[in-house]
């Protein structure tokens, strides 16, 4: 396929996948079984790796830290937002929540997800006590599903940049009250919405 054909095929495949995900949420609500079904839909999309060439979705240049986030599709009401997230190896985030459901699958590369459980009652908005509950390697053929209040951290491993599909129930820049947690000190901090904007000029 030439570049225009790939883009057209990608647009069609993304739209069809998101339509099926809308139907899953409408019929099953926001539940773990629903998110598992959404994950299967996204895994099937990610398996079409020819639709997501690395040249169109590069990570930051020169092995830099941070991510390039490319918006693939978002509903007019900011719901059902799908991004391609491209990172170099060696990145890591603090544990954090999303305040909306999330599903992440891999086109290429490995991303270790640590999923945490809180040990306190959550009543103090500035402090937390937590521990790792499980570790999930997101890689081709394997993804992760997260409820709105689930807490996870990501760690890009291996030697290859990652290209991962991130699907959210609400666009990232519209989320209020997202928190980051320091699993060593117990400090809770809040995200700046401007930090969550997609990479400039990267809508695909």
């Amino acid at each position: 396929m030439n570049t225009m054909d790939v883009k057209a095929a990608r647009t069609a495949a993304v739209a069809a996948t998101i339509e099926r995900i809308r139907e899953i949420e409408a019929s099953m609500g926001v539940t773990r079984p629903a998110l598992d079904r959404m994950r299967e839909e996204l895994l099937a999309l990610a398996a079409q790796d020819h639709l997501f060439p690395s040249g169109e979705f590069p990570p930051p240049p020169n092995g830099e830290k941070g991510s390039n986030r490319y918006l693939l599709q978002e509903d007019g009401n900011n719901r059902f937002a799908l991004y391609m997230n491209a990172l170099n190896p060696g990145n890591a985030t603090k544990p954090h929540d999303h305040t909306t459901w999330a599903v992440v699958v891999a086109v290429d590369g490995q991303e270790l997800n640590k999923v945490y459980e809180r040990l306190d009652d959550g009543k103090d908005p500035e402090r937390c006590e937590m521990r790792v509950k499980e570790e999930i390697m997101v890689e081709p053929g394997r993804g992760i599903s997260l409820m709105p209040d689930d807490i996870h951290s990501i760690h890009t491993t291996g030697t290859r940049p990652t290209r991962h599909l991130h699907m959210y129930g609400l666009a990232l820049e519209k989320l209020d009250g997202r928190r980051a947690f320091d699993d060593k000190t117990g400090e809770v901090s809040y995200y700046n919405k401007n930090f969550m904007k997609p990479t400039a000029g990267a809508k695909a």
Side-chain angles (χ1 to χ4, degrees):
M1 291 187 188
N2 61 39
T3 300
M4 293 300 294
D5 289 341
V6 169
K7 186 170 183 177
R10 178 171 66 242
T11 298
V14 165
T17 299
I18 292 178
E19 179 57 30
R20 290 191 293 271
I21 287 172
R22 285 195 202 95
E23 292 171 357
I24 291 168
E25 191 196 78
S27 63
M28 299 180 66
V30 180
T31 62
R32 294 202 185 275
L35 294 184
D36 289 343
R37 285 187 57 186
M38 294 178 191
R39 185 181 64 217
E40 293 304 311
E41 293 290 347
L42 285 170
L43 285 170
L45 178 63
Q48 302 176 69
D49 56 354
H50 65 284
L51 298 180
F52 305 99
S54 58
E56 288 191 50
F57 302 98
N62 305 315
E64 293 173 8
K65 297 294 178 66
S67 67
N68 282 350
R69 182 180 299 112
Y70 304 91
L71 178 62
L72 297 175
Q73 184 175 310
E74 175 185 336
D75 283 9
N77 60 358
N78 306 120
R79 297 226 47 222
F80 300 100
L82 178 63
Y83 306 85
M84 171 66 76
N85 212 29
L87 296 86
N88 292 304
N91 275 275
T93 68
K94 283 186 175 182
H96 59 275
D97 62 14
H98 294 107
T99 71
T100 187
W101 58 260
V103 181
V104 180
V105 301
V107 174
D108 193 17
Q110 292 182 315
E111 177 185 277
L112 177 65
N113 280 248
K114 296 182 180 181
V115 182
Y116 299 79
E117 61 179 345
R118 291 194 68 158
L119 305 176
D120 60 349
D121 58 13
K123 291 182 179 179
D124 185 344
E126 297 182 354
R127 310 297 301 176
C128 72
E129 184 181 356
M130 59 198 296
R131 67 183 176 194
V132 175
K133 180 174 65 174
E134 64 176 323
E135 296 186 354
I136 298 171
M137 183 67 79
V138 175
E139 57 192 346
R142 190 178 187 196
I144 187 171
S145 306
L146 298 161
M147 294 288 282
D149 58 352
D150 283 346
I151 300 169
H152 80 138
S153 62
I154 63 173
H155 311 264
T156 52
T157 60
T159 59
R160 299 169 64 92
T162 64
R163 279 174 291 134
H164 288 187
L165 296 173
H166 288 231
M167 180 89 212
Y168 299 96
L170 184 65
L172 285 171
E173 62 270 22
K174 297 298 180 180
L175 300 180
D176 288 312
R178 285 194 64 198
R179 297 169 296 176
F181 304 86
D182 191 312
D183 57 334
K184 296 180 177 62
T185 68
E187 180 183 4
V188 178
S189 56
Y190 288 82
Y191 279 84
N192 181 336
K193 280 191 187 180
N194 290 329
F195 174 74
M196 303 312 301
K197 291 182 178 178
T199 301
K203 187 170 182 178

